[in-house]
């Protein structure tokens, strides 16, 4: 979806117009809850432990830190030929991605407001 479809960004979420012309809302709290679900998965926890060479205590500390991150999506500023950014993809069901013309457009329109509201996005760049 094009970033120009975004109508309003508040501390609660994003109002946008979908491809069918219908106004939709992305709730940041719901995105965060979707993000938290991954920590309940034993396979995710084990992979996190192995990749970071963590013992049980280290894993608990890492998960606590990641949960405090308040992540609502992931972003990427790299354009071709490295990737297809800039974009931000929210942890919605299914994921919703907004493409932007420039990195500055993404930050000006969206990320500054998201951060000021206390939410985070993970940098894939």
């Amino acid at each position: 979806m094009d970033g120009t479809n975004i109508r309003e960004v508040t501390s609660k979420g994003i109002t946008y117009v979908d491809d069918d012309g219908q106004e939709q809302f992305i709730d940041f709290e719901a995105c965060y809850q979707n993000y938290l679900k991954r920590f309940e998965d034993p396979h995710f926890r084990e992979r996190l432990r192995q990749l970071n060479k963590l013992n049980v205590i280290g894993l608990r500390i890492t998960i606590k830190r990641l949960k405090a991150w308040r992540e609502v999506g992931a972003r990427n500023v790299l354009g071709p030929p490295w990737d297809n950014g800039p974009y931000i993809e929210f942890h919605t069901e299914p994921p919703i991605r907004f493409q932007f013309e420039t990195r500055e457009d993404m930050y000006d329109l969206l990320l500054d407001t998201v951060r000021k509201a206390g939410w985070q996005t993970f940098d894939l760049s």
Side-chain angles (χ1 to χ4, degrees):
M1 183 155 321
D2 192 291
T4 60
N5 289 30
I6 296 172
R7 297 294 175 247
E8 182 180 31
V9 182
T10 69
S11 62
K12 301 286 185 199
I14 298 169
T15 303
Y16 69 97
V17 176
D18 68 15
D19 292 335
D20 296 325
Q22 301 296 312
E23 189 169 276
Q24 303 290 335
F25 183 73
I26 295 174
D27 183 324
F28 290 151
E29 181 62 35
C31 292
Y32 175 62
Q33 293 304 316
N34 289 334
Y35 166 73
L36 291 177
K37 286 178 188 176
R38 71 177 65 180
F39 299 108
E40 297 169 10
D41 180 355
H43 298 291
F44 176 85
R45 293 170 79 98
E46 181 58 21
R47 181 163 162 74
L48 182 64
R49 189 191 66 74
Q50 289 178 358
L51 286 173
N52 294 286
K53 298 179 172 64
L54 299 170
N55 61 23
V56 174
I57 294 171
L59 179 62
R60 285 186 192 137
I61 292 168
T62 299
I63 289 174
K64 184 177 180 180
R65 182 179 50 81
L66 290 171
K67 286 180 175 182
W69 175 241
R70 293 180 38 100
E71 184 176 310
V72 295
R75 68 186 186 282
N76 191 334
V77 297
L78 298 176
W82 302 280
D83 203 346
N84 59 349
Y87 68 81
I88 183 168
E89 185 171 284
F90 289 94
H91 298 313
T92 53
E93 300 277 338
I96 298 171
R97 178 183 290 192
F98 291 99
Q99 294 284 149
F100 295 89
E101 285 293 319
T102 67
R103 176 177 134 174
E104 290 75 20
D105 288 345
M106 183 175 69
Y107 278 85
D108 290 346
L109 182 64
L110 193 56
L111 286 182
D112 288 341
T113 304
V114 171
R115 286 185 184 143
K116 286 177 186 171
W119 302 105
Q120 302 296 332
T121 56
F122 182 75
D123 187 3
L124 298 170
S125 305

